[in-house]
Structures are given as structure tokens and as C-alpha cells.
């Protein structure tokens, strides 16, 4: 079966970025999202494209169903996870950061909120609120009636609204606060850290039981500042800004190797959440991409 004629692009190739983003927002794992996209490709190669009226809707339906299947497996695995679980960080380009809606939807803060939804609620929210997929198409993807999907979407929307970041912050403000945070951590400056951290800041660290990390969130500016100031005492420590999940973030290396990445939630000119991933299994993709870009 021929999948492209002349300059016509295969629909799977044309929509691959969309399919990956849907899977990633549903799973919180880039590695699992890639697996789901690959499974979708295998199913796509088995169908006669001439029989598909709307390739985009068909592909979204397949990737959603595969993501739901994978999410049920991941949910059981996360119940046994050691310490705090955070989404796998995703290296993103400046154009993602410039797309405010997309940047918010893939932010670590939003993904941690989506983690509190049920599997079907999460699928419905992602498809409707992020990608504006029609209710009837979502219904086909999740095996519900359009009326039921509307109700699920309403509940999920309210659930997320009550937990998502309160206000959007401009890129310029994000950059400025991240630079202040970076400088304070680099210098181990307790006073500067207290100035840049919100009074009720929460630091969440994910080591996955593989490397050392705080098993429980560190709450409050005093405790968080003391915790972060210790980083400057680590030998051969370096810290720089990177772009993760559509926003400026922090990359920490020790002895020239990636040790930690931290996404920051900025509110009212201060850092209100620090999401620090140390689990090497979640950092391996970032390392591979960093080596490829060199």
C-alpha cells in the first residue's frame, strides 16, 4: 500500500508531534509517550488509508487508547514508587515556550495536577482543553457517549482549575526570577534564597529510590533555603539555565555529568514550587539529547 504520493506527507508524519504531546500529557513520561507513538505507528501501517475519512481523528483515537492502556500499568507501578514521583522532564525549544497555552499544558506544575485525575478524566481534559478535540471524537477515543464526555470534561475542568497555578507569568518575569534563583543557589546565599523563594514554597525531589533525594516535600522558605544552599558546597558543582517543559529551568551538573534538573513555578515574582528530578532513569533522555546537540 502506498502511503505518500509526490509531495503528499503521510498523515502519521504530519501529526507525529501532536500524537507525542497527547501521549506525554496523558502519561507524564517521554519514554512511555515514545513507545505509545511507536505502537500507534504499527497500527497505522496495518490500515488502508483510503478507508480513513479523517486521519488526524483516527490517529488521536489510537494514541489515546494506547495511552489509557499504558496509564493503567503506570498507575500500578507508581503506587510502589519510592519517595515523591515527578513527571519525566522534557527538553523543549523556545517556540514551545512562546506558545503560552502549550507551554502551560506541558509544564511540570500542570502535569502534577493532571496526575490527580483519573485516567479517563485526564484523557478527556487533555483532548478537549488542550487540543480542542470535538466531544464526539473524544467519546470514540475513550469509549463513552458524547453526553458522558461533556460531564467528565466539566468535572475535570473544575478539578484542574482549583489546583492549577493561580496566574500566568510573562516570560520576562520567569527569566528574571530564574536568574535570581540560579545566582542564589550558585553562591549558597541564604539571604538571596529567602528573597527569591515564596514564604510557603514547596521543594519536591524525585530520586526514585535510586539516588539520594528528600523522601517528602520540603515546605517553607527557611527550610527550603537551607536545603538549597547546601548545593553550593558540593565539589565540582555547576548550575545553568535550560528550557524544560516550555519554561526556563535549572540544570545541575556534578563532575561534568547531569545530576539534577529543576523546574520552577513562579508566582508573584517569587519561586513557589521547585520540582527537582534526580532519578537517573528520568534524566537519561535529556543526556542523550544534550550529547546529540553538541
Amino acid at each position: 500500500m502506498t502511503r505518500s504520493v509526490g509531495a503528499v506527507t503521510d498523515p502519521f508524519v504530519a501529526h507525529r508531534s501532536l500524537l507525542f504531546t497527547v501521549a506525554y500529557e496523558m502519561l507524564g513520561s517521554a519514554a512511555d509517550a515514545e513507545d505509545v507513538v511507536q505502537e500507534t505507528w504499527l497500527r497505522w501501517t496495518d490500515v488502508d488509508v483510503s478507508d480513513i475519512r479523517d486521519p488526524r481523528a483516527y490517529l488521536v483515537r489510537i494514541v489515546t487508547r494506547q495511552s489509557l492502556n499504558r496509564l493503567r500499568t503506570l498507575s500500578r507501578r507508581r503506587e510502589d514508587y519510592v519517595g515523591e514521583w515527578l513527571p519525566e522532564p522534557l527538553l523543549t525549544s523556545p517556540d514551545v515556550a512562546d506558545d503560552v497555552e502549550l507551554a502551560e499544558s506541558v509544564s511540570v506544575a500542570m502535569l502534577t495536577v493532571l496526575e490527580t485525575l483519573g485516567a479517563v478524566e485526564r484523557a478527556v481534559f487533555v483532548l478537549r482543553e488542550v487540543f480542542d478535540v470535538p466531544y464526539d471524537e473524544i467519546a470514540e477515543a475513550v469509549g463513552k457517549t458524547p453526553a458522558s464526555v461533556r460531564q467528565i470534561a466539566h468535572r475535570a475542568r473544575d478539578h484542574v482549575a482549583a489546583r492549577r497555578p493561580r496566574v500566568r507569568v510573562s516570560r520576562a518575569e520567569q527569566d528574571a526570577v530564574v536568574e535570581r534563583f540560579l545566582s542564589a543557589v550558585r553562591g549558597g546565599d541564604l539571604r538571596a534564597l529567602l528573597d527569591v523563594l515564596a514564604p510557603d514554597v514547596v521543594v519536591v525531589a524525585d530520586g526514585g529510590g535510586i539516588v539520594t533525594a528528600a523522601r517528602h516535600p520540603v515546605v517553607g522558605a527557611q527550610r527550603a533555603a537551607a536545603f538549597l544552599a547546601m548545593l553550593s558546597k558540593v565539589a565540582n558543582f555547576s548550575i545553568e539555565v535550560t528550557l524544560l517543559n516550555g519554561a526556563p529551568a535549572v540544570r545541575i551538573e556534578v563532575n561534568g555529568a547531569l545530576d539534577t534538573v529543576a523546574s520552577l513555578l513562579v508566582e508573584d515574582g517569587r519561586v513557589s514550587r521547585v520540582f527537582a528530578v534526580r532519578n537517573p532513569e528520568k534524566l537519561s533522555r535529556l543526556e542523550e539529547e544534550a550529547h546529540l546537540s553538541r
Side-chain angles (χ1 to χ4, degrees):
M1 177 179 58
T2 302
R3 294 197 161 262
S4 63
V5 179
V8 177
T9 303
D10 184 292
F12 178 87
V13 176
H15 299 302
R16 193 187 190 288
S17 178
L18 165 68
L19 301 177
F20 175 82
T21 307
V22 169
Y24 177 70
E25 292 195 23
M26 285 186 60
L27 302 172
S29 163
D32 285 295
E34 285 288 5
D35 288 345
V36 163
V37 170
Q38 183 62 27
E39 291 164 5
T40 302
W41 162 248
L42 293 175
R43 281 161 175 74
W44 175 247
T45 59
D46 284 338
V47 303
D48 187 340
V49 177
S50 62
D51 293 335
I52 307 298
R53 181 178 57 84
D54 185 342
R56 179 182 182 276
Y58 180 87
L59 288 165
V60 168
R61 182 162 69 246
I62 298 303
V63 85
T64 300
R65 289 175 178 173
Q66 293 302 315
S67 295
L68 283 170
N69 291 338
R70 182 65 63 100
L71 190 56
R72 293 181 181 106
T73 301
L74 292 177
S75 296
R76 289 192 293 272
R77 200 182 303 165
R78 286 170 194 170
E79 288 175 2
D80 300 323
Y81 198 80
V82 177
E84 295 292 320
W85 181 92
L86 287 173
E88 180 184 350
L90 183 68
L91 194 65
T92 48
S93 57
D95 61 316
V96 174
D98 292 338
D99 184 333
V100 177
E101 296 286 348
L102 180 58
E104 182 188 25
S105 73
V106 298
S107 70
V108 174
M110 176 59 79
L111 291 171
T112 57
V113 172
L114 295 183
E115 196 67 19
T116 64
L117 291 171
V120 173
E121 285 181 318
R122 186 168 184 168
V124 170
F125 181 88
V126 168
L127 293 177
R128 182 62 190 173
E129 297 302 313
V130 181
F131 299 104
D132 201 27
V133 176
Y135 287 113
D136 58 339
E137 291 182 18
I138 299 174
E140 283 193 60
V142 301
K144 303 283 185 182
T145 66
S148 177
V149 165
R150 286 179 182 275
Q151 292 179 337
I152 293 170
H154 179 72
R155 289 198 305 270
R157 195 180 303 119
D158 288 347
H159 180 94
V160 171
R163 294 163 177 79
R164 75 195 313 169
R166 294 185 295 274
V167 293
R168 284 180 176 161
V169 178
S170 71
R171 176 65 186 276
E173 183 178 351
Q174 278 188 322
D175 287 343
V177 174
V178 171
E179 284 294 345
R180 287 170 54 208
F181 177 86
L182 193 81
S183 177
V185 172
R186 185 182 285 132
D189 189 333
L190 197 60
R191 171 47 55 193
L193 278 166
L194 288 171
D195 286 342
V196 77
L197 296 174
D200 57 350
V201 65
V202 179
V203 179
V204 181
D206 177 348
I210 301 172
V211 296
T212 304
R215 289 288 184 91
H216 303 287
V218 178
V219 182
Q222 289 286 349
R223 292 184 62 205
F227 177 76
L228 293 166
M230 290 189 299
L231 290 172
S232 65
K233 297 178 173 59
V234 176
N236 299 316
F237 155 88
S238 66
I239 182 170
E240 62 184 25
V241 175
T242 187
L243 272 178
L244 295 177
N245 296 79
V250 170
R251 176 188 174 96
I252 297 172
E253 293 187 0
V254 176
N255 294 318
L258 179 60
D259 178 86
T260 305
V261 295
S263 294
L264 311 177
L265 177 60
V266 175
E267 296 179 294
D268 300 323
R270 287 182 164 185
V271 175
S272 62
R273 293 288 185 277
V274 179
F275 302 103
V277 175
R278 301 202 66 229
N279 184 342
E281 293 178 354
K282 295 183 179 182
L283 298 178
S284 60
R285 182 184 173 91
L286 293 181
E287 278 286 66
E288 291 170 7
E289 292 177 343
H291 286 307
L292 288 173
S293 65
R294 287 171 186 165

